[in-house]
Amino acid sequence: MNLCLFTVELGKDILTLNELTFLFDNMIYHANLLSTDEFHATNTNHGMFQDEALLIFSFYFNDIHNHEYYYHISTERLKNYFDMFISHEGVHLEHSPIYHFIIARMILKLSKFFNSNQDIENYSYYHSLYKKMAVYSTFVIKPDGTLPSLGDTFNGLKGFNDLWIDNEEYIYSLSSGKKGDPPKDSFKCFKEAGYVILRDDWKEKENAVYINFTAAYHTAYHKHSDDLSVWIYANGQDIVSEAGPNGYDYNNEFTKFGYSSFAHNTLIVNNKGLPRVDKKFNSTKIIDYQISPDKKSFSATGINKRFKDITHERCITFNKDTKILIVEDSISSSKIGNNNYKLLWHLAEGIIPVIEEKTINLISEKSNEEIIQLTISSNHPVRIKTVFGQEKPQLLGWHIKKMNKPIKTYTLIIDVNSNKANYHIPINIKSEFIIN
């Protein structure tokens, strides 16, 4: 893309004919390489960018004899990628909210490109797809305007203000209610994609309750071991969050931790988590959801069968009026004998747990006020403990606020030895307390 831009827009009046010929021959080499199946990173966003480059080349050099071939192969591949990795609900399926926005921006660019080139068929496809992607984008943004650090989405990132500029609901979400109009729905289940996102009341703006439930595994790209993880934001701050990613240096111990099960609100079996990827696609998914007739209560159930011989089901139920979230876990083994099951709950920075038998009060360090209360019941005796900035036997109790700059945080561990275990955890969110 840079070669095309430099040669056509900038270099033509500066470079000599020999220099321009050299660059053109180099671009022909690149175009031929990009058009091969062997070089193409099929079914990834990397392949998408390769096809964008080939499409731009065919546009800039539309007088060469095979430019139509480059145009055809790039447009065909792009459509195949989007058909495969954007759900029918309009959600990008590479497990990270920030990539949903990156892909949406690309689709907007393609829509404008095909419109300007009077390719009505492709324009209609991309224009429709772009509009559809606005719904998830609107709901996934937290009330404070930032994205949850799911998958490879770094801490503190925001939605893009150059997208859906005429969508009043997206603008409302992006601006934390300062502009636009609040969405009509409080609950959204993107079942095919594997996400459930809930709010109590959009009109509460940055102080709304926000819950994000993840049950997604579609591809190896940007996947973390976050199966059935829950994120809770309320009263102007994150309360139950995740460690977050630490970049792409896979030899770095905090990078390994960031994508491991130990960095998410999920299940550990016999002190082991799941691998980041294992090709057991669709072994984690949403299997059911319901909205009450009065639209004040919502429930959804996800399942994870990625552990060998283990099935984990998690059902969440949220009531808008009571502000109570109930999390119910059912874990079972198909083999005889007990396992050690641990459920992890990562508390956000500045949240301190106080344990009183089976009740856990979460205190805001900033105000010294109780903001959430959890009560744990199980069909077997449970042990409840916390860790804070643990380094051995594995990293646990860390929040990666910035790359390679982890901060110590608390992680709750709910521990039981059993073949089958059931947990019932009502989480009372105290909405009258507001962080200023």
Side-chain angles (χ1 to χ4, degrees):
M1 290 188 287
N2 286 328
L3 281 169
C4 289
L5 180 64
F6 176 73
T7 305
V8 177
E9 303 291 348
L10 301 173
K12 63 182 180 181
D13 297 324
I14 300 171
L15 302 177
T16 67
L17 180 60
N18 285 339
E19 289 169 336
L20 288 170
T21 300
F22 169 79
L23 289 176
F24 179 72
D25 290 343
N26 190 272
M27 283 186 284
I28 289 288
Y29 171 80
H30 275 79
N32 288 332
L33 186 62
L34 288 169
S35 67
T36 64
D37 292 338
E38 293 77 15
F39 188 77
H40 188 244
T42 305
N43 294 335
T44 73
N45 62 77
H46 298 267
M48 177 194 72
F49 290 119
Q50 290 178 322
D51 294 323
E52 180 192 20
L54 193 58
L55 182 63
I56 287 173
F57 177 76
S58 72
F59 168 75
Y60 272 119
F61 297 96
N62 58 13
D63 53 350
I64 62 175
H65 74 280
N66 54 350
H67 80 276
E68 291 182 353
Y69 169 73
Y70 295 138
Y71 185 90
H72 170 75
I73 196 170
S74 58
T75 54
E76 186 177 80
R77 282 173 173 175
L78 284 166
K79 189 173 183 300
N80 288 341
Y81 169 69
F82 295 128
D83 283 345
M84 181 170 290
F85 285 99
I86 297 179
S87 74
H88 291 95
E89 310 134 329
V91 184
H92 183 242
L93 300 178
E94 289 189 25
H95 311 108
S96 300
I98 191 60
Y99 280 91
H100 177 89
F101 285 86
I102 291 170
I103 299 303
R105 182 179 275 166
M106 169 65 76
I107 288 171
L108 176 60
K109 287 166 62 178
L110 289 168
S111 172
K112 291 179 177 179
F113 172 84
F114 289 118
N115 187 42
S116 66
N117 283 279
Q118 299 182 335
D119 185 337
I120 302 304
E121 182 180 349
N122 276 307
Y123 164 72
S124 298
Y125 171 82
Y126 286 104
H127 181 68
S128 175
L129 189 58
Y130 171 69
K131 290 177 65 176
K132 190 185 295 185
M133 294 180 76
V135 180
Y136 174 77
S137 305
T138 299
F139 275 80
V140 75
I141 296 170
K142 294 188 299 173
D144 64 358
T146 66
L147 298 173
S149 299
L150 305 179
D152 283 337
T153 301
F154 292 100
N155 177 69
L157 295 180
K158 296 185 177 183
F160 296 170
N161 57 17
D162 59 342
L163 299 179
W164 302 292
I165 58 175
D166 57 351
N167 185 312
E168 294 298 319
E169 294 185 354
Y170 174 74
I171 292 169
Y172 187 93
S173 179
L174 186 68
S175 67
S176 298
K178 297 178 181 66
K179 302 175 183 178
D181 299 321
K184 298 177 178 62
D185 297 325
S186 297
F187 311 134
K188 227 27 147 172
C189 178
F190 303 93
K191 187 177 180 183
E192 182 186 354
Y195 301 106
V196 171
I197 306 173
L198 315 175
R199 266 181 176 78
D200 62 338
D201 190 344
W202 283 94
K203 293 180 181 178
E204 290 294 322
K205 301 179 180 179
E206 66 270 15
N207 295 316
V209 175
Y210 167 99
I211 298 161
N212 194 312
F213 179 37
T214 300
Y217 187 19
H218 307 285
T219 174
Y221 286 88
H222 308 292
K223 169 66 178 169
H224 285 205
S225 301
D226 57 359
D227 307 77
L228 308 190
S229 190
V230 178
W231 187 296
I232 303 174
Y233 170 108
N235 305 321
Q237 64 176 349
D238 290 321
I239 297 173
V240 175
S241 60
E242 298 186 354
N246 191 57
Y248 300 98
D249 176 6
Y250 293 119
N251 293 317
N252 183 295
E253 291 303 311
F254 273 97
T255 302
K256 295 176 184 177
F257 164 68
Y259 62 68
S260 74
S261 298
F262 291 93
H264 302 91
N265 305 312
T266 187
L267 174 67
I268 304 295
V269 178
N270 298 325
N271 295 315
K272 292 183 179 179
L274 290 168
R276 186 177 72 88
V277 294
D278 55 13
K279 296 186 178 180
K280 294 180 181 178
F281 305 128
N282 296 317
S283 292
T284 298
K285 56 188 174 183
I286 302 293
I287 57 175
D288 189 29
Y289 71 96
Q290 293 181 339
I291 302 175
S292 64
D294 61 5
K295 296 186 178 182
K296 292 185 177 181
S297 180
F298 182 96
S299 66
T301 302
I303 191 168
N304 172 20
K305 290 187 174 183
R306 290 181 62 202
F307 283 105
K308 185 178 180 181
D309 305 316
I310 302 289
T311 298
H312 178 200
E313 286 192 17
R314 171 169 280 177
C315 177
I316 65 166
T317 303
F318 179 66
N319 186 285
K320 291 171 59 175
D321 290 345
T322 63
K323 308 291 191 292
I324 292 176
L325 170 69
I326 298 175
V327 179
E328 296 176 286
D329 289 284
S330 176
I331 309 164
S332 61
S333 173
S334 60
K335 289 197 170 183
I336 298 173
N338 288 344
N339 292 297
N340 176 257
Y341 300 128
K342 289 183 175 71
L343 291 175
L344 305 181
W345 288 89
H346 292 77
L347 305 185
E349 185 181 348
I351 304 298
I352 302 171
V354 177
I355 302 174
E356 299 176 1
E357 296 184 350
K358 293 185 179 181
T359 298
I360 304 165
N361 297 310
L362 302 186
I363 310 298
S364 168
E365 188 177 38
K366 182 177 180 180
S367 66
N368 201 34
E369 293 277 353
E370 179 184 311
I371 53 176
I372 275 188
Q373 184 180 81
L374 299 82
T375 305
I376 298 168
S377 60
S378 175
N379 62 335
H380 289 279
V382 298
R383 296 170 293 278
I384 304 170
K385 68 174 186 177
T386 64
V387 298
F388 182 76
Q390 175 181 291
E391 296 183 19
K392 293 182 179 181
Q394 71 275 318
L395 293 172
L396 188 61
W398 296 89
H399 171 54
I400 303 170
K401 193 169 185 177
K402 293 183 179 180
M403 193 183 303
N404 296 320
K405 293 184 178 179
I407 295 172
K408 293 180 180 181
T409 52
Y410 286 96
T411 297
L412 292 171
I413 303 174
I414 304 169
D415 189 326
V416 66
N417 291 318
S418 179
N419 181 271
K420 296 181 179 179
N422 295 300
Y423 302 86
H424 179 84
I425 308 175
I427 301 174
N428 183 12
I429 302 170
K430 298 182 180 297
S431 58
E432 70 273 10
F433 173 69
I434 303 295
I435 294 284
N436 293 317

